[in-house]
Amino acid sequence: SWSYPDQGLTVSMRAGTRKGAQSVRLIQITAPSQLRSARGLGIGATYQSVADTYKDLRDPSSEADDREYFTAGDLYGGLIFRFAGGKAVEVILGAVAE
């Protein structure tokens, strides 16, 4: 993983073998990151704004009443928002499951 805490950014890599070529597995953003998704949402976005913006991509297997996470796409390659106090505190782009 490459971490840039002053920018609220972590990039996690993976490779097929220990010395093999690496590729990005996931990108994680937290405060104080000002990065935004392609649809304009990031840290501090409300649960409702994420749900409204990404309703067409919501993971159908996710809990509809769970307001701690919102997954657009799926756990194998999606955009995942984690909430605390109704606001996004973490955004992950990529695969969190394998």
Side-chain angles (χ1 to χ4, degrees), residues 3 10 13-14 20 30 32 39 43 49 63 67 72 82 85 88 96:
S3 293
T10 301
M13 309 296 282
R14 68 174 160 209
T30 57
R39 295 187 183 185
I43 302 302
S49 67
E63 293 293 322
R67 292 192 170 247
R82 183 173 63 88
V96 295

Side-chain angles (χ1 to χ4, degrees), residues 16-78:
T17 63
R18 182 171 168 87
K19 294 187 179 186
Q22 295 188 4
S23 61
V24 174
R25 182 175 70 90
L26 65 84
I27 298 170
Q28 174 189 28
I29 64 169
T30 57
S33 178
Q34 296 299 308
L35 294 172
R36 299 286 177 248
S37 70
R39 295 187 183 185
L41 300 177
I43 302 302
T46 65
Y47 181 89
Q48 194 59 54
S49 67
V50 171
D52 290 346
T53 302
Y54 286 99
K55 63 185 169 203
D56 60 320
L57 297 175
R58 183 183 191 107
D59 181 358
S61 67
S62 66
E63 293 293 322
D65 294 333
D66 179 8
R67 292 192 170 247
E68 185 177 355
Y69 292 94
F70 185 97
T71 303
D74 60 36
L75 299 179
Y76 301 97

